Amino acid sequence: MKLSLFQVDAFTTELFRGNPAAVVPLQHWLDDELLQRIALENNLSETAFFVPCESPDADYDLRWFTPSMEVDLCGHATLATGHVLFRHLGFEGERIRFSSKSGVLAIERDGDGYALDFPAAGRRPIEIEDDIVDALGDRPEELYSIREGMKGGHLAVYPDEARVRALTPDFRALKTLGA
């Protein structure tokens, strides 16, 4: 079996920067065990798989796998998938809708970049500790714990795009913090 695989560095315009994700277009779903093995072989934080959607509510079904498990939502891999569809696979139109375990997600062209439309998740403000600031590379204005509707995570709020682009997160440190 031959599959196409794209590796995209999300949130950057520079090679070997940003947040890498693998994207694998499929014509139909493969066995979950095979999807998991492909993600393990890629050894990236996420591998996104998508197939054409049969529902009128979305254009594609989208799933994400880490090297060890399937996850309910992944922003950078969704962004990478949209990029692959727009830039490499010739998707026509300005907006792509994905059906996922977290509902319908959308990505649209936004100038030279893309804008994501994700579901709102329950969030709880948390104290900004020095270790998370060190791991992120800059102090956010606000920090939230997100638990409802997803398995969990954190949301760091910065005042503008320039501050986000300037971040140099230590992903290993973030992982040890559970962020």
Side-chain angles (χ1 to χ4, degrees), residues 123-150:
R123 64 182 191 209
R124 173 182 57 82
I126 58 175
E127 185 177 337
I128 302 171
E129 303 281 343
D130 289 338
D131 54 354
I132 193 108
V133 173
D134 292 342
L136 288 170
D138 190 9
R139 178 175 288 281
E141 289 186 341
E142 303 168 55
L143 185 63
Y144 297 93
S145 175
I146 299 173
R147 297 288 177 230
E148 297 173 28
M150 293 186 276

Side-chain angles (χ1 to χ4, degrees), residues 155-176:
L155 172 67
V157 178
Y158 290 90
D160 55 47
E161 178 182 348
R163 289 273 296 276
V164 173
R165 287 187 179 276
L167 291 175
T168 55
D170 179 343
F171 293 106
R172 286 191 178 126
L174 287 169
K175 186 174 182 177
T176 64

Side-chain angles (χ1 to χ4, degrees), residues 86-105:
F86 281 131
R87 183 94 180 233
H88 300 286
L89 299 180
F91 183 87
E92 294 182 13
E94 295 298 308
R95 181 178 177 93
I96 302 170
R97 297 164 305 147
F98 296 108
S99 176
S100 75
K101 287 186 173 186
S102 293
V104 175
L105 312 173

Side-chain angles (χ1 to χ4, degrees), residues 44-107:
L44 294 171
S45 61
E46 270 83 19
T47 297
F49 298 92
F50 68 91
V51 299
C53 185
E54 296 180 12
S55 165
D57 298 329
D59 303 299
Y60 297 93
D61 292 321
L62 179 61
R63 295 170 69 188
W64 310 270
F65 286 78
T66 72
S68 61
M69 62 186 272
E70 184 173 8
V71 295
D72 293 340
L73 185 64
C74 181
H76 81 284
T78 303
L79 183 68
T81 303
H83 173 78
V84 166
L85 281 159
F86 281 131
R87 183 94 180 233
H88 300 286
L89 299 180
F91 183 87
E92 294 182 13
E94 295 298 308
R95 181 178 177 93
I96 302 170
R97 297 164 305 147
F98 296 108
S99 176
S100 75
K101 287 186 173 186
S102 293
V104 175
L105 312 173
I107 182 170

